[in-house]
């Protein structure tokens, strides 16, 4: 069951985008660990901190947050029709406001369709990597259409599943329409699947390191791309979506063809079909071919011919060997000589 309909989010783009922070921000974390965080890639620069007791390593929430209801608006980037979104805006850290040369709004269906023409970058302009490089914390992979986020919600595990689902839907749903939310209470993790990859990319950056609005548990979310779902139902669903997309593309290409091109394509299809039938007939045993051609109106011969076209290659080899020895083998495994077959036809 879908959590939300796949419709564009409501946002006011007639106003100028506001400044989210008064000045440049180096890091969105309030901890005092050494090094500097690269906001673009999410990696920490500088020397690694000395290892300490695990209980002392408490993850601090982000000091900033994107509020689409008040932060979205037009920028110089939108007026110049720039396609990339502002990564700092998604994290609630852009100090330029209207002067920003990137987009300060939420992705729409049109943005997601535009992404299909350039699968090498995400909506922020970052380079995607192949699956084997494990870029789940960054821009993700270009090998598959990633729309599912892995969310570790930690302290919020004390909530009942329906209440937690409502919290996740309210927090992640403000950045784009959500298709499903699957919660694993025993591991305090959830899988949030968006309708569009563009929304998933924005929601991932906007919610990583945040707390759940409406929660009192002070949890800090860890959000990254989910691995491919091994659930057989999900695999079948992805195959069905791929087949539907291929069928839609084929129909669109057919509708775009001229009547002359359509006639030429149909003629080519009929020729290909005739060549396949001829190839099958060339491999048939001579007695069976004579029976099929000489008596197509006879039910048994027609059934033999149809069965021959549908058998596996190894079974065809077996039938050919029996035909060379003077026998006609049925699909059911029965054998008879050619003379006996002629007597039955008479």
């Amino acid at each position: 069951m879908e959590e939300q309909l796949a419709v564009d989010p409501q946002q006011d783009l007639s106003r100028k985008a506001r400044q989210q922070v008064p000045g440049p921000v180096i890091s969105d974390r309030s901890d005092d660990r050494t090094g500097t965080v690269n906001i673009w890639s999410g990696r920490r620069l500088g020397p690694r901190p000395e290892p300490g007791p695990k209980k002392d390593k408490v993850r601090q929430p982000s000091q900033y947050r994107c509020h689409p209801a008040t932060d979205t608006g037009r920028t110089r980037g939108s007026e110049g029709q720039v396609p990339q979104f502002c990564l700092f805006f998604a994290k609630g850290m852009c100090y330029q406001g209207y002067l920003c040369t990137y987009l300060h709004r939420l992705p729409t269906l049109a943005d997601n369709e535009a992404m299909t023409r350039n699968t090498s970058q995400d909506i922020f302009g970052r380079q995607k990597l192949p699956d084997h490089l494990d870029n789940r914390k960054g821009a993700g992979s270009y090998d598959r259409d990633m729309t599912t986020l892995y969310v570790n919600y930690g302290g919020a595990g004390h909530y009942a599943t329906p209440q937690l689902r409502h919290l996740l839907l309210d927090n992640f749903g403000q950045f784009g329409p959500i298709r499903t939310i699957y919660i694993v209470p025993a591991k305090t993790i959830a899988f949030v699947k968006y309708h569009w990859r563009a929304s998933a990319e924005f929601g991932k950056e906007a919610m990583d390191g945040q707390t759940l609005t409406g929660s009192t548990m002070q949890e800090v979310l860890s959000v990254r791309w989910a691995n491919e779902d091994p659930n057989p139902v999900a695999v079948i669903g992805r195959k069905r979506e791929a087949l539907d997309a291929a069928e839609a593309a084929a129909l669109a290409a057919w509708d775009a063809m001229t009547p002359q091109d359509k006639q030429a394509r149909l003629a080519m299809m009929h020729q290909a079909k005739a060549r396949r039938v001829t190839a099958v007939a060339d491999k048939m045993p001579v007695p069976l071919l004579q029976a099929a051609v000489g008596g197509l109106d006879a039910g048994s011969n027609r059934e033999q011919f149809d069965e021959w076209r549908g058998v596996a290659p190894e079974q065809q080899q077996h039938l050919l060997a029996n035909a060379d020895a003077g026998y006609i083998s049925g699909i059911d495994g029965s054998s008879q000589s050619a003379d006996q077959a002629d007597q039955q036809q008479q």
Side-chain angles (χ1 to χ4, degrees), residues 34-314:
T34 59
T36 302
V37 174
N38 185 331
I39 305 259
W40 187 255
S41 65
R43 297 181 179 179
R44 182 173 296 277
L45 307 178
R48 286 181 172 270
E50 293 295 330
K54 188 174 182 180
K55 63 180 181 179
D56 295 337
K57 296 181 180 179
V58 179
R59 193 180 186 205
Q60 299 296 325
S62 173
Q63 304 177 70
Y64 313 99
R65 191 184 187 105
C66 178
H67 300 280
T70 58
D71 292 348
T72 57
R74 71 178 191 274
T75 62
R76 287 186 174 179
S78 62
E79 293 176 351
Q81 298 183 349
V82 173
Q84 287 85 16
F85 287 74
C86 179
L87 179 62
F88 291 87
F89 165 74
K91 293 178 176 292
M93 301 165 50
C94 186
Y95 72 96
Q96 297 191 38
Y98 167 74
L99 300 179
C100 185
T101 55
Y102 296 95
L103 302 179
H104 279 212
R105 61 174 177 82
L106 300 177
T108 62
L109 175 59
D111 298 317
N112 190 72
E113 292 177 347
M115 286 182 57
T116 60
R117 296 190 289 270
N118 181 15
T119 59
S120 62
Q121 295 180 344
D122 66 358
I123 60 173
F124 305 107
R126 299 180 301 181
Q127 198 73 19
K128 297 178 185 177
L129 300 176
D131 258 344
H132 69 274
L133 293 181
D134 192 16
N135 194 27
R136 290 181 296 163
K137 291 185 178 181
S141 169
Y142 56 68
D143 288 331
R144 52 194 172 95
D145 188 22
M146 306 174 73
T147 59
T148 305
L149 302 180
Y150 167 93
V151 182
N152 188 326
Y153 51 83
H158 294 286
Y159 289 111
T161 300
Q163 187 176 6
L164 181 59
R165 182 186 301 275
H166 180 73
L167 288 172
L168 292 172
L169 184 62
D170 283 350
N171 283 264
F172 283 86
Q174 62 182 321
F175 303 110
I178 293 178
R179 175 169 291 180
T180 57
I181 295 179
Y182 178 68
I183 300 175
V184 186
K187 297 183 177 180
T188 65
I189 61 176
F191 297 91
V192 179
K193 183 178 181 63
Y194 283 87
H195 280 278
W196 310 322
R197 173 157 184 165
S199 299
E201 291 177 352
F202 194 98
K204 170 184 170 296
E205 299 300 334
M207 289 302 299
D208 184 37
Q210 300 289 344
T211 59
L212 289 173
T213 301
S215 172
T216 59
M217 298 296 180
Q218 299 300 314
E219 69 289 323
V220 180
L221 302 181
S222 176
V223 185
R224 61 178 183 263
W225 292 111
N227 290 323
E228 188 171 1
D229 192 352
N231 188 332
V233 177
V235 173
I236 293 175
R238 287 195 299 272
K239 290 183 179 179
R240 185 180 297 111
E241 291 177 358
L243 290 174
D244 291 342
E247 182 180 0
L251 290 175
W254 176 261
D255 293 337
M257 295 173 62
T258 63
Q260 295 78 7
D261 291 338
K262 291 181 180 180
Q263 292 179 359
R265 182 60 60 87
L266 289 174
M268 292 174 58
M269 293 173 59
H270 289 312
Q271 292 176 2
K273 183 177 180 180
R275 285 194 295 268
R276 289 196 298 269
V277 174
T278 303
V280 171
D282 290 342
K283 297 180 181 179
M284 290 179 62
V286 175
L288 182 58
L289 179 60
Q290 292 175 347
V293 175
L296 289 179
D297 294 335
S300 59
N301 293 331
R302 180 74 237 187
E303 291 174 0
Q304 280 185 316
F305 183 70
D306 291 338
E307 287 179 347
W308 171 263
R309 294 178 62 186
V311 298
E314 57 271 12

Side-chain angles (χ1 to χ4, degrees), residues 327-343:
Y327 288 88
I328 299 177
S329 298
I331 302 302
D332 57 357
S334 60
S335 300
Q336 57 183 348
S337 65
D339 295 338
Q340 291 174 347
D342 291 339
Q343 292 176 4

